Amino acid sequence: MPKTQSSIITIFLIAILFFSSLSSIGQENKTARVSLRAYLNQIEETFSVKFSFADNSINSILILSQEFNELEAAIHYIETETPLDLKKIDARYYTISKSMLSICAKVLDNFEQNTLHNASIKVLEQNIATITDDTGSFYLNNVPRKSTIEIRHIGFKPLFVKAEELQDGKTCKTLLMAQNIQQLEEVIIYKFLTTGLEKQDDASIVLNTDDFGILPGLIEPDVLQTVQALPGIKSIDETVSDINVRGGTNDQNLILWEGIKMYQSGHFFGLISAFNPYLTDKVTLIKNGSSAAFGDGVSSILDMRTKNTITNNLYGGAGINLLSGDMYGQIPLKENLAFQFSGRRSITDFLNTPTYNQFYDRAFQDTEIKGNEPEQENLARSEDFYFYDFTGKLLYDISEKHKARVSFIAINNLLAYTALNTDTAEKTNSKLMQTNFSIGGYLESTWNANFSTQINAYYTSYHLDSENFTTENKQQLLQNNEVLETAIQLTSNYHFSEQLAWKNGYEFKEVGIINFTNVTQPPFRSNIKGVLRTHALFSELTYTSKNEKLWVRAGIRANYIKNLATFEKLILEPRLNLNYRLTRDFKVELQGEFKNQTTNQVIDLKQNFLGIEKRRWVLANEEELPITRSKQVSLGFNYDKNKIYIGLEGFYKYVNGISTTTQGFQNEDQFNGEIGTYAARGVEFLINQKTKNLSNWLTYTYNKNDYTFDLLNPTTFPNNLDIRHTITFASTYTYEHLKLGLGLNYRTGRPYTKPKEDGNVINTTVFPNTINYEDSNNSRLPEYLRVDASAIYDFKISQNIKASVGASLLNILDHKNILNRYYRLNDQDEIETVESVSLGITPNFSFRLFF
């Protein structure tokens, strides 16, 4: 190109840039920034109004000068461009003040499944800061509208958000933090079976009910039903109040609600959970390797926590299904004070539904007799049954660093049954009532970034009252079981660094139990009382390596236990929980623990009260019933890559100090009260394939569980809960607002004891006569098979009201599953076979509103 032509082009480009700059300067002059005070003076003259304000609130603010034909447009412009609120006093006068917001959010990792607790939250250029709680949530008041929020967490890139975007509304916004790609990613199961289920570093399973998806057969996130989808956890008799974890009995589970030990967990005598799932925010299940802060429960821990954040808005919901109706909500009383409530009541005492009829047949079946006794067509029966529960929680934020909470729960079940023989006029009245009332609270204090404390105290009261009266022989039977427990726990947490934390604490607990029995014919009266006190000290360290490959928690708990009548004992319990990431996708876990418990349930299998098992709590006394103690170890491997999760875990659990009276024996050993042990060993396997909309999983559990009783013959035989093989296959699918679930459950039969088949079946050398049995648990029931399905559809009624409808079908194939079988002698000394059968095909339907 010629030099002259090149020079011309260069001059031409410079000219264009020059005139463009002049144009920009001219445009800027037309919309030059002026002080807000001057702009307000201009508006006052234009529209004949007056503004009242504090000088320091506007002195430093500049604004682009804009002209408007209407006053409302000018005011809206000022509010949009400045952190100020303009409020109208009358037709002429307005006040101006700084615009402050209440903000909240929930912080998740960028997979949108895993909450980030203890993330630091800071309002830039303001002296306002906090941290996220265990659910990943935070809440701040009096935040300037135009301020910026900085969010930081180790291993993640800092996140900056405008305060306006987090303004507290009906629900808190979800924020996603991206992992720092310069650090190794943490291997966590982000979607475990269904949304809302997460596996943590300590191998515990956390259920977040707000994010809960769907499971086969469930149309509501029933806590005690949900955990049974996990390997190693089943209810051998289809109830939620009798959950068996790795071969343990239900009374060996520690069930906590808001830190309060619960002695009753079910409605409909075990078929329905007694805890409202819509205020329950977080449920943690621990099968092994528990924190030293937990006492009791040699089998597992189920820790339920309700929503714990104060918002400025009223929220709640209500719903009804074919068994009960409920409602719940949170009412803000002040900026730092709120009250939560929930209530549920059965509709079964005034409305018979197909679901109620199936549940009634299952829970109150008057035993299926396979013998020579004819049908009693002359027997007229009537029953009155209902249940209810209600909860309350007061939330008070004393300051940003000190929070107080007080909670209570009441649970009630009542069954009244009358049988009238129309030929003889003989009448039998039975009444059975279960009640539980608990109240507790805690004060949580964060003294600085490294040190926090918590004081927790509670009182719980449980009653089981039963009454049976027969007019023919004028016999009256009264039984009462009462548990009163008070406890206080002090806990401190200190973080030496981001890698090392130290927890210490002290717990005092006193439990008193009364068992009262009164029989008129023949005369018998018993009133057994006991009180036991426990002092416990615990300490544990938690360490995370800098490369985040190793996580370990090790601790010890020292228990000094004193029964005021019989004994005192010191028990040391070491605890260990470790996981190590071998590769980016492969992790190994090791857990071990020693535990004890001082309360157990004696199972009364007498055929009063429609064959319902009456379980009565008793105290250990080191004579008839020792302290139950356990040792457990487990080793697991987890692989999670490309939407495939595979888990394999082997375990061994040894429990001593058990009694035949607490294990549900139904042969000649059921009343002996012999003391023994059981050893459970097994393997749990899970494979889960998951995509955005679809989750398929298969679980298999092998469990060999044997009793050893030195004074019985044989001394070693299968446990009553020895289910060797359990298989679950399920699939859930979500498409927009529709959720579908379908699942199959299979397990081998439980063991039972048959009468001898030779001629010496009945022992006539004793009075009353008894049955001669084969070796204990030498036979097996048929296999168990059940297919369940469920569907939920969510939709909006209005901007602020959401709704959902759900339908489920249990045991679609109507398969007759025999849950239990035992034998007894009738009045003619003939052997009767007594069976309890599972639910038949059982529909349910629900409709819910959320606001």
Side-chain angles (χ1 to χ4, degrees):
M1 180 182 292
K3 184 176 180 182
T4 304
Q5 185 178 356
S6 176
S7 300
I8 293 172
I9 292 174
T10 302
I11 294 171
F12 180 76
L13 292 175
I14 292 174
I16 291 175
L17 292 174
F18 176 75
F19 286 111
S20 297
S21 299
L22 290 178
S23 176
S24 299
I25 293 171
Q27 182 68 24
E28 184 177 342
N29 287 335
K30 289 180 182 179
T31 57
R33 288 186 175 272
V34 299
S35 69
L36 179 60
R37 180 188 291 272
Y39 187 59
L40 291 173
N41 291 337
Q42 177 184 335
I43 294 175
E44 286 178 336
E45 293 179 3
T46 303
F47 298 103
S48 299
V49 294
K50 288 291 183 181
F51 295 104
S52 175
F53 49 82
D55 290 342
N56 59 4
S57 66
I58 70 167
N59 282 344
S60 61
I61 299 177
L62 299 178
I63 191 170
L64 291 174
S65 180
Q66 299 282 348
E67 294 183 1
F68 295 94
N69 295 326
E70 295 181 355
L71 175 61
E72 290 75 11
I75 290 176
H76 177 72
Y77 172 67
I78 295 173
E79 290 182 326
T80 303
E81 297 297 319
T82 67
L84 299 173
D85 277 335
L86 280 71
K87 293 184 179 180
K88 183 177 181 179
I89 298 177
D90 54 31
R92 189 181 182 196
Y93 288 94
Y94 290 78
T95 62
I96 301 177
S97 60
K98 285 187 175 181
S99 177
M100 309 299 283
L101 302 176
S102 294
I103 65 173
C104 70
K106 186 173 185 177
V107 182
L108 308 176
D109 67 14
N110 60 352
F111 285 89
E112 206 172 350
Q113 295 294 326
N114 199 47
T115 56
L116 297 178
H117 62 277
N118 290 331
S120 63
I121 312 298
K122 183 179 180 181
V123 183
L124 298 182
E125 300 180 358
Q126 303 289 329
N127 188 26
I128 303 174
T130 187
I131 60 174
T132 56
D133 59 22
D134 289 342
T135 68
S137 301
F138 71 89
Y139 181 83
L140 290 173
N141 291 317
N142 299 321
V143 177
R145 177 184 295 275
K146 293 297 181 180
S147 61
T148 299
I149 311 301
E150 179 190 56
I151 305 173
R152 290 183 177 273
H153 192 283
I154 185 171
F156 293 85
K157 295 179 180 179
L159 182 64
F160 299 89
V161 187
K162 294 293 185 182
E164 292 174 306
E165 299 177 16
L166 306 181
Q167 186 169 2
D168 187 17
K170 294 295 182 183
T171 58
C172 297
K173 186 174 182 179
T174 297
L175 302 177
L176 306 180
M177 294 192 72
Q179 293 182 343
N180 189 339
I181 60 174
Q182 294 179 346
Q183 297 187 14
L184 291 175
E185 295 181 2
E186 190 175 2
V187 179
I188 297 175
I189 302 165
Y190 300 106
K191 186 176 182 181
F192 190 70
L193 306 189
T194 187
T195 55
L197 277 175
E198 303 166 359
K199 189 171 184 180
Q200 306 297 301
D201 282 339
D202 62 356
S204 64
I205 305 297
V206 172
L207 166 63
N208 293 304
T209 56
D210 279 348
D211 303 322
F212 185 76
I214 190 172
L215 286 175
L218 292 183
I219 50 178
E220 295 178 323
D222 188 302
V223 172
L224 301 181
Q225 290 281 11
T226 299
V227 298
Q228 295 183 45
L230 304 170
I233 305 173
K234 289 295 175 186
S235 173
I236 202 168
D237 60 2
E238 289 190 333
T239 66
V240 298
S241 62
D242 191 13
I243 295 176
N244 313 119
V245 180
R246 289 180 173 173
T249 55
N250 181 73
D251 61 333
Q252 293 173 355
N253 300 317
L254 174 62
I255 299 178
L256 299 172
W257 180 83
E258 286 294 286
I260 305 171
K261 182 177 179 179
M262 303 304 298
Y263 285 90
Q264 180 181 350
S265 57
H267 284 313
F268 227 129
F269 296 95
L271 292 175
I272 305 170
S273 169
F275 307 104
N276 189 301
Y278 296 100
L279 277 181
T280 303
D281 183 58
K282 178 182 176 183
V283 182
T284 304
L285 172 71
I286 305 171
K287 292 190 282 188
N288 191 13
S290 58
S291 167
F294 291 107
D296 274 336
V298 299
S299 195
S300 72
I301 298 170
L302 193 66
D303 186 14
M304 293 171 279
R305 300 287 174 169
T306 59
K307 297 182 185 299
N308 204 40
T309 302
I310 297 175
T311 65
N312 289 335
N313 299 301
L314 171 71
Y315 69 83
I320 189 169
N321 57 42
L322 298 185
L323 291 174
S324 63
D326 74 277
M327 64 182 301
Y328 71 95
Q330 177 167 299
I331 304 171
L333 303 176
K334 293 182 179 179
E335 287 187 352
N336 62 340
L337 185 66
F339 179 71
Q340 288 178 2
F341 67 91
S342 73
R344 171 171 49 175
R345 192 191 188 282
S346 63
I347 61 174
T348 55
D349 50 337
F350 56 85
L351 179 63
N352 280 350
T353 66
T355 310
Y356 169 73
N357 292 332
Q358 287 291 341
F359 273 51
Y360 179 86
D361 290 342
R362 165 62 189 90
F364 306 135
Q365 52 187 298
D366 192 15
T367 67
E368 181 182 342
I369 306 300
K370 292 185 177 179
N372 299 321
E373 185 176 350
E375 293 287 338
Q376 293 182 285
E377 297 179 355
N378 59 342
L379 195 64
R381 305 178 181 182
S382 64
E383 75 281 341
D384 182 21
F385 170 73
Y386 68 86
F387 63 82
Y388 65 81
D389 63 73
F390 58 88
T391 69
K393 182 176 181 179
L394 187 67
L395 302 89
Y396 177 43
D397 289 349
I398 303 171
S399 66
E400 290 185 5
K401 295 185 177 181
H402 303 279
K403 298 181 179 180
R405 305 289 187 261
V406 177
S407 307
F408 70 87
I409 183 171
I411 305 169
N412 184 279
N413 283 272
L414 175 66
L415 168 66
Y417 171 74
T418 301
L420 175 64
N421 190 314
T422 56
D423 293 339
T424 64
E426 177 188 352
K427 187 176 183 181
T428 300
N429 292 318
S430 296
K431 187 176 181 181
L432 188 64
M433 183 171 65
Q434 283 180 301
T435 60
N436 189 105
F437 177 79
S438 304
I439 185 169
Y442 64 88
L443 173 64
E444 190 177 75
S445 301
T446 302
W447 302 100
N448 55 50
N450 298 322
F451 184 64
S452 63
T453 60
Q454 186 177 90
I455 302 174
N456 182 57
Y458 69 81
Y459 165 83
T460 188
S461 170
Y462 168 79
H463 291 265
L464 173 67
D465 296 294
S466 58
E467 176 182 323
N468 185 263
F469 179 73
T470 305
T471 57
E472 181 183 30
N473 52 22
K474 296 184 179 180
Q475 184 190 63
Q476 186 175 25
L477 167 65
L478 299 175
Q479 288 182 321
N480 170 260
N481 180 216
E482 181 178 2
V483 181
L484 302 175
E485 180 172 304
T486 56
I488 184 169
Q489 185 182 80
L490 313 175
T491 307
S492 69
N493 291 277
Y494 185 77
H495 290 263
F496 293 100
S497 65
E498 293 182 349
Q499 283 75 47
L500 185 63
W502 188 22
K503 176 183 284 188
N504 295 281
Y506 163 77
E507 182 180 46
F508 169 76
K509 181 170 62 178
E510 180 180 274
V511 55
I513 295 181
I514 299 174
N515 272 292
F516 172 78
T517 303
N518 184 49
V519 183
T520 56
Q521 294 292 337
F524 175 79
R525 183 182 178 90
S526 173
N527 192 20
I528 302 173
K529 300 179 181 180
V531 177
L532 189 144
R533 292 173 182 162
T534 302
H535 300 266
L537 293 172
F538 57 88
S539 180
E540 68 183 19
L541 290 169
T542 302
Y543 171 76
T544 305
S545 63
K546 288 187 178 181
N547 61 9
E548 298 186 354
K549 281 191 172 184
L550 174 67
W551 182 91
V552 60
R553 182 178 66 205
I556 190 167
R557 183 181 178 94
N559 305 276
Y560 172 72
I561 304 171
K562 183 176 182 179
N563 187 309
L564 299 188
T566 57
F567 73 91
E568 54 186 289
K569 183 168 288 190
L570 177 65
I571 299 177
L572 299 180
E573 297 174 343
R575 313 278 176 88
L576 175 66
N577 197 317
L578 178 150
N579 75 63
Y580 184 77
R581 188 171 60 253
L582 297 173
T583 67
R584 178 172 175 174
D585 308 308
F586 188 68
K587 183 170 65 174
V588 60
E589 299 172 338
L590 174 67
Q591 289 96 34
E593 64 182 17
F594 284 49
K595 297 184 75 175
N596 82 87
Q597 68 181 63
T598 55
T599 57
N600 293 273
Q601 281 185 317
V602 172
I603 302 175
D604 186 352
L605 294 169
K606 294 182 179 179
Q607 291 302 300
N608 303 312
F609 315 109
L610 302 109
I612 296 173
E613 295 179 358
K614 297 190 303 301
R615 299 168 180 261
R616 292 176 289 137
W617 289 97
V618 295
L619 276 178
N621 55 23
E622 288 295 285
E623 294 175 355
E624 293 86 4
L625 185 63
I627 296 174
T628 304
R629 302 172 69 172
S630 71
K631 303 173 185 178
Q632 184 176 187
V633 63
S634 59
L635 178 65
F637 302 91
N638 298 320
Y639 173 80
D640 191 5
K641 186 178 182 180
N642 297 331
K643 305 185 184 303
I644 294 289
Y645 167 77
I646 300 175
L648 179 66
E649 186 171 7
F651 67 90
Y652 175 79
K653 180 167 67 175
Y654 177 81
V655 179
N656 66 313
I658 62 171
S659 168
T660 56
T661 61
T662 65
Q663 296 296 303
F665 280 88
Q666 292 178 307
N667 52 32
E668 72 272 17
D669 301 320
Q670 68 185 84
F671 303 117
N672 291 350
E674 303 294 349
I675 305 302
T677 67
Y678 74 81
R681 73 282 287 172
V683 176
E684 299 167 356
F685 172 77
L686 167 66
I687 181 169
N688 183 202
Q689 181 268 337
K690 48 197 182 294
T691 64
K692 180 180 179 182
N693 298 321
L694 182 67
S695 180
N696 304 305
W697 69 89
L698 172 72
T699 71
Y700 168 74
T701 302
Y702 170 78
N703 183 14
K704 189 176 188 302
N705 193 349
D706 292 322
Y707 286 127
T708 298
F709 288 92
D710 293 336
L711 298 180
L712 299 183
N713 185 26
T715 58
T716 301
F717 52 92
N719 192 299
N720 294 332
L721 302 176
D722 178 46
I723 304 296
R724 292 293 171 89
H725 306 281
T726 303
I727 298 174
T728 299
F729 175 74
S731 180
T732 62
Y733 178 74
T734 302
Y735 178 73
E736 294 183 349
H737 301 291
L738 178 65
K739 303 172 186 176
L740 302 172
L742 178 68
L744 178 147
N745 294 281
Y746 166 86
R747 63 173 182 258
T748 53
R750 68 182 294 184
Y752 73 103
T753 308
K754 291 170 58 177
K756 289 184 176 181
E757 295 182 356
D758 56 23
N760 189 24
V761 179
I762 300 176
N763 183 5
T764 59
T765 62
V766 296
F767 181 81
N769 295 343
T770 59
I771 299 174
N772 289 324
Y773 289 93
E774 295 180 350
D775 289 346
S776 294
N777 289 344
N778 200 34
S779 301
R780 295 264 173 180
L781 293 174
E783 292 86 351
Y784 177 97
L785 177 67
R786 197 173 94 177
V787 178
D788 302 327
S790 55
I792 299 175
Y793 181 75
D794 301 321
F795 58 96
K796 276 189 176 182
I797 293 180
S798 68
Q799 186 65 28
N800 298 321
I801 300 178
K802 298 179 181 180
S804 72
V805 292
S808 67
L809 202 58
L810 303 179
N811 197 3
I812 296 174
L813 304 179
D814 202 19
H815 190 268
K816 182 181 178 181
N817 295 302
I818 300 175
L819 301 175
N820 192 25
R821 179 185 291 161
Y822 69 99
Y823 304 88
R824 67 185 184 188
L825 292 175
N826 61 20
D827 294 337
Q828 290 76 40
D829 277 346
E830 297 170 328
I831 295 178
E832 297 173 344
T833 301
V834 184
E835 290 183 349
S836 59
V837 183
S838 68
L839 284 170
I841 184 169
T842 305
N844 201 359
F845 174 83
S846 71
F847 174 74
R848 302 205 61 84
L849 294 174
F850 306 91
F851 56 87

